[in-house]
Amino acid sequence: AKKGFFDLLNEKAFSLTNIDDRNGEKMLESTKSRKFTYSLSRMADYNAKVIENSFFGLLLNINGKEVSTQLVGQFNAYNLLAIYSIAELCGLKQEEILVGLSKLKAANGRFETYRLKNASTAIIDYAHTPDALLNVISTINEIKLEGKLITIVGCGGNRDKTKRPEMAKIAQEGSDIVILTSDNPRFENPEEIIEDMKKGVVDNENLFCITDRRQAIKLATQLAKDKNDIILIAGKGHETYQEIEGVKHHFDDKEEVFLNIQKYLLSDAGKKMLEENGHRTWYGGVTSKADEDIFNKVCSITRVDMIIKKRDSNYSLLVEENGFNFSNGERQRIILARYLLRNSNIYIFDEAFGQIDIKLERDILSDVFNYLKNKTVIVISHRLYNNNLFDRVIKLSGGNLIEEKV
């Protein structure tokens, strides 16, 4: 059926196929269109190499240019390469394609990744079929280090019963610990659904059966004790309900995960981790090895210390989801503090001060530039700043250079 689409194309059209797929080249056998190929492992018209593959994104080299993306896994590397190839064949410039790829985000409920308070990782995914579950588990095992994979999975009621033992088997074969739980039982007894699933697994000490999905998630977070441990919560993804006896009750896997996440602003616990490990991950940024004086200085010049004082709190102040407990300007100052502590040689600020109060912005900008006086700093902005702060000012309009001052 798919090949038929290729066969119908005329000479004015183009065909693009993945030649790493065993049927890829077969698709082009009878087409009259212009033929193009893409690959991650063979010579092709369009090639890509996976440089880094982490739970928070891919770093790819596509036709000689590096691009960082927020999508995860080798399957997404193929998807991104296909998008790039089509866009270039349609006449888009390489630079604008790469910028577009870097901005792409996963769909809601598809491989959404969160850090737990002990630095382990929770992944929420909609995988509710055997193939989808196998793909997501395979992707996790491609990336994860020496930690264990804890998979929570259930099956919907009043649906295909034959996939239940298969789903459980896939979970057990690809995971270190499996928790069988309830999904949307609908008009079936959830315990009977779990019994059907158990027919596909070996009963051992690493298999748990917990009907209450909330308790299943809580157990998984307790079992994830190492920073390299991964929790996969499969089946519901973006859904915000659980259907029981025809009634949709509010239930959101993400909310349950957030109950077990501790997201620090600039935490004392994080400082301790910094001393022990030489680096640490903050919610939203990575610091270099830094001492207490640098930490406090950065908080001072970005006026994050004012945020703490205003709330009569300390650097263990929790950041709610999306920073809802802070104003836009406060969020921007917190981001600035995290960014400065990366200790880079080059800093790029792209509209990085626009949400901050204008008077405070001038003071922060001056202090930030003084702090970075031995670094290369690039500021991109629609605002006109004091030119005395810069060594070189370039004004652009419509993509054209209209003025340059040194």
PDB file of all heavy atoms in Angstrom, residues 149-153 164-165 167-173 175-181 194-210 219 223:
ATOM      1  N   LEU A 149      15.543   0.097  35.581  1.00  0.00           N
ATOM      2  CA  LEU A 149      14.320   0.602  34.967  1.00  0.00           C
ATOM      3  C   LEU A 149      13.124  -0.007  35.687  1.00  0.00           C
ATOM      4  O   LEU A 149      12.979  -1.221  35.763  1.00  0.00           O
ATOM      5  CB  LEU A 149      14.269   0.243  33.478  1.00  0.00           C
ATOM      6  CG  LEU A 149      12.942   0.535  32.753  1.00  0.00           C
ATOM      7  CD1 LEU A 149      12.564   2.002  32.870  1.00  0.00           C
ATOM      8  CD2 LEU A 149      13.029   0.115  31.290  1.00  0.00           C
ATOM      9  N   ILE A 150      12.271   0.878  36.229  1.00  0.00           N
ATOM     10  CA  ILE A 150      11.055   0.467  36.926  1.00  0.00           C
ATOM     11  C   ILE A 150       9.881   0.861  36.038  1.00  0.00           C
ATOM     12  O   ILE A 150       9.660   2.042  35.782  1.00  0.00           O
ATOM     13  CB  ILE A 150      10.943   1.167  38.295  1.00  0.00           C
ATOM     14  CG1 ILE A 150      12.180   0.881  39.148  1.00  0.00           C
ATOM     15  CG2 ILE A 150       9.668   0.738  39.015  1.00  0.00           C
ATOM     16  CD1 ILE A 150      12.327   1.796  40.339  1.00  0.00           C
ATOM     17  N   THR A 151       9.126  -0.128  35.557  1.00  0.00           N
ATOM     18  CA  THR A 151       8.034   0.148  34.628  1.00  0.00           C
ATOM     19  C   THR A 151       6.680  -0.087  35.290  1.00  0.00           C
ATOM     20  O   THR A 151       6.427  -1.148  35.854  1.00  0.00           O
ATOM     21  CB  THR A 151       8.141  -0.739  33.373  1.00  0.00           C
ATOM     22  OG1 THR A 151       9.337  -0.412  32.674  1.00  0.00           O
ATOM     23  CG2 THR A 151       6.954  -0.521  32.442  1.00  0.00           C
ATOM     24  N   ILE A 152       5.823   0.951  35.213  1.00  0.00           N
ATOM     25  CA  ILE A 152       4.439   0.845  35.673  1.00  0.00           C
ATOM     26  C   ILE A 152       3.564   0.723  34.436  1.00  0.00           C
ATOM     27  O   ILE A 152       3.622   1.572  33.545  1.00  0.00           O
ATOM     28  CB  ILE A 152       4.029   2.104  36.463  1.00  0.00           C
ATOM     29  CG1 ILE A 152       4.937   2.294  37.680  1.00  0.00           C
ATOM     30  CG2 ILE A 152       2.569   2.022  36.888  1.00  0.00           C
ATOM     31  CD1 ILE A 152       4.727   3.621  38.384  1.00  0.00           C
ATOM     32  N   VAL A 153       2.754  -0.320  34.363  1.00  0.00           N
ATOM     33  CA  VAL A 153       1.933  -0.519  33.170  1.00  0.00           C
ATOM     34  C   VAL A 153       0.610  -1.175  33.539  1.00  0.00           C
ATOM     35  O   VAL A 153       0.526  -1.984  34.465  1.00  0.00           O
ATOM     36  CB  VAL A 153       2.689  -1.379  32.122  1.00  0.00           C
ATOM     37  CG1 VAL A 153       2.975  -2.772  32.648  1.00  0.00           C
ATOM     38  CG2 VAL A 153       1.921  -1.433  30.801  1.00  0.00           C
ATOM     39  N   ARG A 164      -2.992  -8.128  26.815  1.00  0.00           N
ATOM     40  CA  ARG A 164      -2.662  -7.956  28.230  1.00  0.00           C
ATOM     41  C   ARG A 164      -1.433  -8.749  28.659  1.00  0.00           C
ATOM     42  O   ARG A 164      -0.484  -8.169  29.203  1.00  0.00           O
ATOM     43  CB  ARG A 164      -3.879  -8.286  29.096  1.00  0.00           C
ATOM     44  CG  ARG A 164      -5.019  -7.312  28.891  1.00  0.00           C
ATOM     45  CD  ARG A 164      -6.296  -7.713  29.628  1.00  0.00           C
ATOM     46  NE  ARG A 164      -7.387  -6.778  29.321  1.00  0.00           N
ATOM     47  CZ  ARG A 164      -8.627  -6.921  29.735  1.00  0.00           C
ATOM     48  NH1 ARG A 164      -8.966  -7.990  30.484  1.00  0.00           N
ATOM     49  NH2 ARG A 164      -9.551  -6.017  29.410  1.00  0.00           N
ATOM     50  N   PRO A 165      -1.393 -10.075  28.432  1.00  0.00           N
ATOM     51  CA  PRO A 165      -0.179 -10.808  28.810  1.00  0.00           C
ATOM     52  C   PRO A 165       1.031 -10.374  27.986  1.00  0.00           C
ATOM     53  O   PRO A 165       2.165 -10.375  28.490  1.00  0.00           O
ATOM     54  CB  PRO A 165      -0.544 -12.273  28.540  1.00  0.00           C
ATOM     55  CG  PRO A 165      -1.716 -12.238  27.614  1.00  0.00           C
ATOM     56  CD  PRO A 165      -2.454 -10.981  27.934  1.00  0.00           C
ATOM     57  N   MET A 167       1.685  -7.308  26.833  1.00  0.00           N
ATOM     58  CA  MET A 167       2.176  -6.044  27.394  1.00  0.00           C
ATOM     59  C   MET A 167       3.013  -6.302  28.649  1.00  0.00           C
ATOM     60  O   MET A 167       4.094  -5.734  28.834  1.00  0.00           O
ATOM     61  CB  MET A 167       1.000  -5.134  27.740  1.00  0.00           C
ATOM     62  CG  MET A 167       0.208  -4.622  26.569  1.00  0.00           C
ATOM     63  SD  MET A 167       0.834  -3.083  25.883  1.00  0.00           S
ATOM     64  CE  MET A 167       0.339  -1.903  27.129  1.00  0.00           C
ATOM     65  N   ALA A 168       2.513  -7.176  29.511  1.00  0.00           N
ATOM     66  CA  ALA A 168       3.231  -7.486  30.748  1.00  0.00           C
ATOM     67  C   ALA A 168       4.567  -8.169  30.449  1.00  0.00           C
ATOM     68  O   ALA A 168       5.586  -7.878  31.095  1.00  0.00           O
ATOM     69  CB  ALA A 168       2.363  -8.374  31.636  1.00  0.00           C
ATOM     70  N   LYS A 169       4.558  -9.060  29.453  1.00  0.00           N
ATOM     71  CA  LYS A 169       5.792  -9.760  29.080  1.00  0.00           C
ATOM     72  C   LYS A 169       6.838  -8.778  28.554  1.00  0.00           C
ATOM     73  O   LYS A 169       8.021  -8.861  28.916  1.00  0.00           O
ATOM     74  CB  LYS A 169       5.485 -10.820  28.011  1.00  0.00           C
ATOM     75  CG  LYS A 169       6.709 -11.630  27.584  1.00  0.00           C
ATOM     76  CD  LYS A 169       6.331 -12.665  26.532  1.00  0.00           C
ATOM     77  CE  LYS A 169       7.564 -13.466  26.111  1.00  0.00           C
ATOM     78  NZ  LYS A 169       7.245 -14.446  25.047  1.00  0.00           N
ATOM     79  N   ILE A 170       6.433  -7.864  27.693  1.00  0.00           N
ATOM     80  CA  ILE A 170       7.356  -6.860  27.152  1.00  0.00           C
ATOM     81  C   ILE A 170       7.946  -6.016  28.275  1.00  0.00           C
ATOM     82  O   ILE A 170       9.144  -5.734  28.310  1.00  0.00           O
ATOM     83  CB  ILE A 170       6.628  -5.962  26.126  1.00  0.00           C
ATOM     84  CG1 ILE A 170       6.323  -6.761  24.851  1.00  0.00           C
ATOM     85  CG2 ILE A 170       7.455  -4.722  25.788  1.00  0.00           C
ATOM     86  CD1 ILE A 170       5.380  -6.053  23.901  1.00  0.00           C
ATOM     87  N   ALA A 171       7.088  -5.627  29.226  1.00  0.00           N
ATOM     88  CA  ALA A 171       7.554  -4.820  30.349  1.00  0.00           C
ATOM     89  C   ALA A 171       8.574  -5.574  31.181  1.00  0.00           C
ATOM     90  O   ALA A 171       9.626  -5.025  31.545  1.00  0.00           O
ATOM     91  CB  ALA A 171       6.371  -4.407  31.222  1.00  0.00           C
ATOM     92  N   GLN A 172       8.303  -6.854  31.472  1.00  0.00           N
ATOM     93  CA  GLN A 172       9.217  -7.628  32.307  1.00  0.00           C
ATOM     94  C   GLN A 172      10.536  -7.910  31.600  1.00  0.00           C
ATOM     95  O   GLN A 172      11.614  -7.841  32.208  1.00  0.00           O
ATOM     96  CB  GLN A 172       8.562  -8.935  32.746  1.00  0.00           C
ATOM     97  CG  GLN A 172       9.381  -9.682  33.806  1.00  0.00           C
ATOM     98  CD  GLN A 172       8.633 -10.858  34.379  1.00  0.00           C
ATOM     99  OE1 GLN A 172       8.269 -11.786  33.678  1.00  0.00           O
ATOM    100  NE2 GLN A 172       8.409 -10.833  35.694  1.00  0.00           N
ATOM    101  N   GLU A 173      10.484  -8.208  30.316  1.00  0.00           N
ATOM    102  CA  GLU A 173      11.709  -8.525  29.580  1.00  0.00           C
ATOM    103  C   GLU A 173      12.624  -7.316  29.425  1.00  0.00           C
ATOM    104  O   GLU A 173      13.838  -7.457  29.315  1.00  0.00           O
ATOM    105  CB  GLU A 173      11.356  -9.088  28.204  1.00  0.00           C
ATOM    106  CG  GLU A 173      10.772 -10.494  28.257  1.00  0.00           C
ATOM    107  CD  GLU A 173      10.399 -11.039  26.884  1.00  0.00           C
ATOM    108  OE1 GLU A 173      10.370 -10.238  25.912  1.00  0.00           O
ATOM    109  OE2 GLU A 173      10.138 -12.253  26.783  1.00  0.00           O
ATOM    110  N   SER A 175      12.606  -4.552  31.625  1.00  0.00           N
ATOM    111  CA  SER A 175      12.714  -3.758  32.850  1.00  0.00           C
ATOM    112  C   SER A 175      13.336  -4.579  33.971  1.00  0.00           C
ATOM    113  O   SER A 175      13.348  -5.803  33.941  1.00  0.00           O
ATOM    114  CB  SER A 175      11.325  -3.271  33.287  1.00  0.00           C
ATOM    115  OG  SER A 175      10.626  -2.685  32.216  1.00  0.00           O
ATOM    116  N   ASP A 176      13.828  -3.863  34.970  1.00  0.00           N
ATOM    117  CA  ASP A 176      14.378  -4.524  36.159  1.00  0.00           C
ATOM    118  C   ASP A 176      13.278  -4.799  37.184  1.00  0.00           C
ATOM    119  O   ASP A 176      13.316  -5.791  37.895  1.00  0.00           O
ATOM    120  CB  ASP A 176      15.463  -3.640  36.786  1.00  0.00           C
ATOM    121  CG  ASP A 176      16.616  -3.383  35.834  1.00  0.00           C
ATOM    122  OD1 ASP A 176      17.393  -4.315  35.608  1.00  0.00           O
ATOM    123  OD2 ASP A 176      16.710  -2.264  35.281  1.00  0.00           O
ATOM    124  N   ILE A 177      12.315  -3.881  37.250  1.00  0.00           N
ATOM    125  CA  ILE A 177      11.183  -4.033  38.161  1.00  0.00           C
ATOM    126  C   ILE A 177       9.913  -3.670  37.397  1.00  0.00           C
ATOM    127  O   ILE A 177       9.899  -2.691  36.640  1.00  0.00           O
ATOM    128  CB  ILE A 177      11.322  -3.116  39.401  1.00  0.00           C
ATOM    129  CG1 ILE A 177      12.555  -3.521  40.223  1.00  0.00           C
ATOM    130  CG2 ILE A 177      10.060  -3.155  40.258  1.00  0.00           C
ATOM    131  CD1 ILE A 177      12.857  -2.571  41.366  1.00  0.00           C
ATOM    132  N   VAL A 178       8.845  -4.451  37.584  1.00  0.00           N
ATOM    133  CA  VAL A 178       7.574  -4.186  36.912  1.00  0.00           C
ATOM    134  C   VAL A 178       6.476  -4.056  37.955  1.00  0.00           C
ATOM    135  O   VAL A 178       6.379  -4.872  38.877  1.00  0.00           O
ATOM    136  CB  VAL A 178       7.212  -5.307  35.912  1.00  0.00           C
ATOM    137  CG1 VAL A 178       5.823  -5.063  35.326  1.00  0.00           C
ATOM    138  CG2 VAL A 178       8.247  -5.389  34.800  1.00  0.00           C
ATOM    139  N   ILE A 179       5.653  -3.016  37.797  1.00  0.00           N
ATOM    140  CA  ILE A 179       4.485  -2.838  38.649  1.00  0.00           C
ATOM    141  C   ILE A 179       3.253  -2.870  37.748  1.00  0.00           C
ATOM    142  O   ILE A 179       3.049  -1.970  36.926  1.00  0.00           O
ATOM    143  CB  ILE A 179       4.543  -1.506  39.420  1.00  0.00           C
ATOM    144  CG1 ILE A 179       5.831  -1.421  40.257  1.00  0.00           C
ATOM    145  CG2 ILE A 179       3.316  -1.355  40.317  1.00  0.00           C
ATOM    146  CD1 ILE A 179       6.033  -0.089  40.946  1.00  0.00           C
ATOM    147  N   LEU A 180       2.460  -3.918  37.866  1.00  0.00           N
ATOM    148  CA  LEU A 180       1.213  -4.026  37.112  1.00  0.00           C
ATOM    149  C   LEU A 180       0.127  -3.295  37.879  1.00  0.00           C
ATOM    150  O   LEU A 180      -0.046  -3.512  39.089  1.00  0.00           O
ATOM    151  CB  LEU A 180       0.831  -5.496  36.916  1.00  0.00           C
ATOM    152  CG  LEU A 180       1.867  -6.388  36.207  1.00  0.00           C
ATOM    153  CD1 LEU A 180       1.312  -7.811  36.044  1.00  0.00           C
ATOM    154  CD2 LEU A 180       2.267  -5.825  34.847  1.00  0.00           C
ATOM    155  N   THR A 181      -0.605  -2.425  37.196  1.00  0.00           N
ATOM    156  CA  THR A 181      -1.585  -1.603  37.887  1.00  0.00           C
ATOM    157  C   THR A 181      -2.804  -1.376  37.003  1.00  0.00           C
ATOM    158  O   THR A 181      -2.929  -1.937  35.910  1.00  0.00           O
ATOM    159  CB  THR A 181      -0.961  -0.269  38.318  1.00  0.00           C
ATOM    160  OG1 THR A 181      -1.851   0.418  39.194  1.00  0.00           O
ATOM    161  CG2 THR A 181      -0.657   0.612  37.113  1.00  0.00           C
ATOM    162  N   ILE A 194      -5.531  -7.315  35.778  1.00  0.00           N
ATOM    163  CA  ILE A 194      -4.157  -7.586  36.212  1.00  0.00           C
ATOM    164  C   ILE A 194      -3.876  -9.089  36.191  1.00  0.00           C
ATOM    165  O   ILE A 194      -2.782  -9.529  35.808  1.00  0.00           O
ATOM    166  CB  ILE A 194      -3.913  -6.994  37.619  1.00  0.00           C
ATOM    167  CG1 ILE A 194      -3.909  -5.460  37.533  1.00  0.00           C
ATOM    168  CG2 ILE A 194      -2.599  -7.498  38.205  1.00  0.00           C
ATOM    169  CD1 ILE A 194      -3.810  -4.759  38.880  1.00  0.00           C
ATOM    170  N   GLU A 195      -4.860  -9.909  36.553  1.00  0.00           N
ATOM    171  CA  GLU A 195      -4.683 -11.366  36.492  1.00  0.00           C
ATOM    172  C   GLU A 195      -4.429 -11.808  35.051  1.00  0.00           C
ATOM    173  O   GLU A 195      -3.602 -12.705  34.799  1.00  0.00           O
ATOM    174  CB  GLU A 195      -5.905 -12.085  37.078  1.00  0.00           C
ATOM    175  CG  GLU A 195      -5.999 -12.010  38.596  1.00  0.00           C
ATOM    176  CD  GLU A 195      -4.786 -12.636  39.283  1.00  0.00           C
ATOM    177  OE1 GLU A 195      -4.367 -13.736  38.855  1.00  0.00           O
ATOM    178  OE2 GLU A 195      -4.260 -12.024  40.224  1.00  0.00           O
ATOM    179  N   ASP A 196      -5.122 -11.199  34.096  1.00  0.00           N
ATOM    180  CA  ASP A 196      -4.874 -11.510  32.683  1.00  0.00           C
ATOM    181  C   ASP A 196      -3.448 -11.130  32.294  1.00  0.00           C
ATOM    182  O   ASP A 196      -2.773 -11.862  31.559  1.00  0.00           O
ATOM    183  CB  ASP A 196      -5.855 -10.743  31.787  1.00  0.00           C
ATOM    184  CG  ASP A 196      -7.267 -11.302  31.839  1.00  0.00           C
ATOM    185  OD1 ASP A 196      -7.411 -12.466  32.260  1.00  0.00           O
ATOM    186  OD2 ASP A 196      -8.215 -10.577  31.454  1.00  0.00           O
ATOM    187  N   MET A 197      -2.982 -10.006  32.777  1.00  0.00           N
ATOM    188  CA  MET A 197      -1.621  -9.566  32.457  1.00  0.00           C
ATOM    189  C   MET A 197      -0.575 -10.509  33.049  1.00  0.00           C
ATOM    190  O   MET A 197       0.449 -10.802  32.417  1.00  0.00           O
ATOM    191  CB  MET A 197      -1.390  -8.139  32.980  1.00  0.00           C
ATOM    192  CG  MET A 197      -2.264  -7.070  32.327  1.00  0.00           C
ATOM    193  SD  MET A 197      -1.951  -5.410  32.965  1.00  0.00           S
ATOM    194  CE  MET A 197      -0.357  -5.059  32.216  1.00  0.00           C
ATOM    195  N   LYS A 198      -0.840 -11.015  34.233  1.00  0.00           N
ATOM    196  CA  LYS A 198       0.130 -11.882  34.917  1.00  0.00           C
ATOM    197  C   LYS A 198       0.395 -13.183  34.168  1.00  0.00           C
ATOM    198  O   LYS A 198       1.415 -13.841  34.395  1.00  0.00           O
ATOM    199  CB  LYS A 198      -0.373 -12.194  36.339  1.00  0.00           C
ATOM    200  CG  LYS A 198      -0.224 -11.022  37.301  1.00  0.00           C
ATOM    201  CD  LYS A 198      -0.829 -11.335  38.674  1.00  0.00           C
ATOM    202  CE  LYS A 198      -0.056 -12.428  39.378  1.00  0.00           C
ATOM    203  NZ  LYS A 198      -0.608 -12.663  40.741  1.00  0.00           N
ATOM    204  N   LYS A 199      -0.500 -13.549  33.249  1.00  0.00           N
ATOM    205  CA  LYS A 199      -0.291 -14.771  32.463  1.00  0.00           C
ATOM    206  C   LYS A 199       0.922 -14.664  31.542  1.00  0.00           C
ATOM    207  O   LYS A 199       1.424 -15.673  31.050  1.00  0.00           O
ATOM    208  CB  LYS A 199      -1.544 -15.071  31.643  1.00  0.00           C
ATOM    209  CG  LYS A 199      -2.773 -15.405  32.491  1.00  0.00           C
ATOM    210  CD  LYS A 199      -4.029 -15.537  31.642  1.00  0.00           C
ATOM    211  CE  LYS A 199      -5.256 -15.788  32.504  1.00  0.00           C
ATOM    212  NZ  LYS A 199      -6.512 -15.824  31.695  1.00  0.00           N
ATOM    213  N   GLY A 200       1.400 -13.436  31.323  1.00  0.00           N
ATOM    214  CA  GLY A 200       2.544 -13.251  30.428  1.00  0.00           C
ATOM    215  C   GLY A 200       3.869 -13.054  31.138  1.00  0.00           C
ATOM    216  O   GLY A 200       4.886 -12.826  30.491  1.00  0.00           O
ATOM    217  N   VAL A 201       3.869 -13.119  32.475  1.00  0.00           N
ATOM    218  CA  VAL A 201       5.097 -12.826  33.212  1.00  0.00           C
ATOM    219  C   VAL A 201       5.458 -13.959  34.160  1.00  0.00           C
ATOM    220  O   VAL A 201       4.645 -14.832  34.457  1.00  0.00           O
ATOM    221  CB  VAL A 201       4.958 -11.509  34.015  1.00  0.00           C
ATOM    222  CG1 VAL A 201       4.759 -10.330  33.081  1.00  0.00           C
ATOM    223  CG2 VAL A 201       3.802 -11.600  35.009  1.00  0.00           C
ATOM    224  N   VAL A 202       6.693 -13.894  34.631  1.00  0.00           N
ATOM    225  CA  VAL A 202       7.173 -14.831  35.648  1.00  0.00           C
ATOM    226  C   VAL A 202       7.032 -14.142  36.996  1.00  0.00           C
ATOM    227  O   VAL A 202       7.516 -13.019  37.191  1.00  0.00           O
ATOM    228  CB  VAL A 202       8.651 -15.206  35.405  1.00  0.00           C
ATOM    229  CG1 VAL A 202       9.161 -16.107  36.524  1.00  0.00           C
ATOM    230  CG2 VAL A 202       8.811 -15.870  34.048  1.00  0.00           C
ATOM    231  N   ASP A 203       6.365 -14.781  37.929  1.00  0.00           N
ATOM    232  CA  ASP A 203       6.150 -14.183  39.250  1.00  0.00           C
ATOM    233  C   ASP A 203       7.442 -14.263  40.047  1.00  0.00           C
ATOM    234  O   ASP A 203       7.959 -15.346  40.326  1.00  0.00           O
ATOM    235  CB  ASP A 203       5.034 -14.926  39.985  1.00  0.00           C
ATOM    236  CG  ASP A 203       4.488 -14.126  41.152  1.00  0.00           C
ATOM    237  OD1 ASP A 203       5.045 -13.041  41.423  1.00  0.00           O
ATOM    238  OD2 ASP A 203       3.512 -14.564  41.778  1.00  0.00           O
ATOM    239  N   ASN A 204       8.016 -13.106  40.380  1.00  0.00           N
ATOM    240  CA  ASN A 204       9.237 -13.086  41.179  1.00  0.00           C
ATOM    241  C   ASN A 204       9.244 -11.849  42.070  1.00  0.00           C
ATOM    242  O   ASN A 204       8.280 -11.084  42.117  1.00  0.00           O
ATOM    243  CB  ASN A 204      10.486 -13.128  40.283  1.00  0.00           C
ATOM    244  CG  ASN A 204      10.552 -11.969  39.303  1.00  0.00           C
ATOM    245  OD1 ASN A 204      10.157 -10.852  39.622  1.00  0.00           O
ATOM    246  ND2 ASN A 204      11.052 -12.235  38.106  1.00  0.00           N
ATOM    247  N   GLU A 205      10.363 -11.639  42.781  1.00  0.00           N
ATOM    248  CA  GLU A 205      10.433 -10.548  43.764  1.00  0.00           C
ATOM    249  C   GLU A 205      10.455  -9.167  43.117  1.00  0.00           C
ATOM    250  O   GLU A 205      10.279  -8.154  43.798  1.00  0.00           O
ATOM    251  CB  GLU A 205      11.666 -10.718  44.645  1.00  0.00           C
ATOM    252  CG  GLU A 205      12.985 -10.668  43.884  1.00  0.00           C
ATOM    253  CD  GLU A 205      14.182 -10.889  44.783  1.00  0.00           C
ATOM    254  OE1 GLU A 205      14.000 -11.296  45.939  1.00  0.00           O
ATOM    255  OE2 GLU A 205      15.298 -10.641  44.307  1.00  0.00           O
ATOM    256  N   ASN A 206      10.668  -9.108  41.808  1.00  0.00           N
ATOM    257  CA  ASN A 206      10.707  -7.834  41.101  1.00  0.00           C
ATOM    258  C   ASN A 206       9.405  -7.537  40.358  1.00  0.00           C
ATOM    259  O   ASN A 206       9.362  -6.661  39.499  1.00  0.00           O
ATOM    260  CB  ASN A 206      11.888  -7.799  40.121  1.00  0.00           C
ATOM    261  CG  ASN A 206      13.224  -7.785  40.848  1.00  0.00           C
ATOM    262  OD1 ASN A 206      13.371  -7.107  41.872  1.00  0.00           O
ATOM    263  ND2 ASN A 206      14.189  -8.537  40.339  1.00  0.00           N
ATOM    264  N   LEU A 207       8.360  -8.292  40.679  1.00  0.00           N
ATOM    265  CA  LEU A 207       7.045  -8.063  40.095  1.00  0.00           C
ATOM    266  C   LEU A 207       6.073  -7.669  41.198  1.00  0.00           C
ATOM    267  O   LEU A 207       5.936  -8.362  42.199  1.00  0.00           O
ATOM    268  CB  LEU A 207       6.540  -9.322  39.385  1.00  0.00           C
ATOM    269  CG  LEU A 207       5.118  -9.245  38.825  1.00  0.00           C
ATOM    270  CD1 LEU A 207       5.068  -8.273  37.642  1.00  0.00           C
ATOM    271  CD2 LEU A 207       4.622 -10.625  38.402  1.00  0.00           C
ATOM    272  N   PHE A 208       5.393  -6.529  41.005  1.00  0.00           N
ATOM    273  CA  PHE A 208       4.410  -6.053  41.970  1.00  0.00           C
ATOM    274  C   PHE A 208       3.071  -5.869  41.267  1.00  0.00           C
ATOM    275  O   PHE A 208       3.022  -5.458  40.106  1.00  0.00           O
ATOM    276  CB  PHE A 208       4.846  -4.711  42.576  1.00  0.00           C
ATOM    277  CG  PHE A 208       6.137  -4.775  43.342  1.00  0.00           C
ATOM    278  CD1 PHE A 208       7.353  -4.648  42.689  1.00  0.00           C
ATOM    279  CD2 PHE A 208       6.138  -4.962  44.713  1.00  0.00           C
ATOM    280  CE1 PHE A 208       8.551  -4.699  43.379  1.00  0.00           C
ATOM    281  CE2 PHE A 208       7.324  -5.004  45.421  1.00  0.00           C
ATOM    282  CZ  PHE A 208       8.544  -4.884  44.751  1.00  0.00           C
ATOM    283  N   CYS A 209       2.006  -6.176  41.965  1.00  0.00           N
ATOM    284  CA  CYS A 209       0.656  -5.969  41.431  1.00  0.00           C
ATOM    285  C   CYS A 209      -0.100  -5.060  42.395  1.00  0.00           C
ATOM    286  O   CYS A 209      -0.434  -5.472  43.523  1.00  0.00           O
ATOM    287  CB  CYS A 209      -0.070  -7.299  41.276  1.00  0.00           C
ATOM    288  SG  CYS A 209       0.722  -8.435  40.119  1.00  0.00           S
ATOM    289  N   ILE A 210      -0.338  -3.828  41.972  1.00  0.00           N
ATOM    290  CA  ILE A 210      -0.994  -2.840  42.826  1.00  0.00           C
ATOM    291  C   ILE A 210      -2.135  -2.216  42.030  1.00  0.00           C
ATOM    292  O   ILE A 210      -1.911  -1.480  41.064  1.00  0.00           O
ATOM    293  CB  ILE A 210      -0.002  -1.758  43.284  1.00  0.00           C
ATOM    294  CG1 ILE A 210       1.160  -2.405  44.046  1.00  0.00           C
ATOM    295  CG2 ILE A 210      -0.708  -0.707  44.138  1.00  0.00           C
ATOM    296  CD1 ILE A 210       2.217  -1.429  44.487  1.00  0.00           C
ATOM    297  N   LEU A 219       4.947   3.799  45.053  1.00  0.00           N
ATOM    298  CA  LEU A 219       5.911   2.714  45.288  1.00  0.00           C
ATOM    299  C   LEU A 219       7.110   2.859  44.365  1.00  0.00           C
ATOM    300  O   LEU A 219       8.259   2.694  44.793  1.00  0.00           O
ATOM    301  CB  LEU A 219       5.242   1.361  45.075  1.00  0.00           C
ATOM    302  CG  LEU A 219       6.192   0.149  45.136  1.00  0.00           C
ATOM    303  CD1 LEU A 219       6.845   0.036  46.507  1.00  0.00           C
ATOM    304  CD2 LEU A 219       5.473  -1.136  44.767  1.00  0.00           C
ATOM    305  N   LEU A 223      11.104   3.020  45.232  1.00  0.00           N
ATOM    306  CA  LEU A 223      12.070   2.015  44.767  1.00  0.00           C
ATOM    307  C   LEU A 223      13.218   2.633  43.974  1.00  0.00           C
ATOM    308  O   LEU A 223      14.293   2.045  43.874  1.00  0.00           O
ATOM    309  CB  LEU A 223      11.354   0.972  43.902  1.00  0.00           C
ATOM    310  CG  LEU A 223      10.338   0.081  44.601  1.00  0.00           C
ATOM    311  CD1 LEU A 223       9.599  -0.791  43.587  1.00  0.00           C
ATOM    312  CD2 LEU A 223      11.021  -0.800  45.648  1.00  0.00           C
TER     313      LEU A 223
END
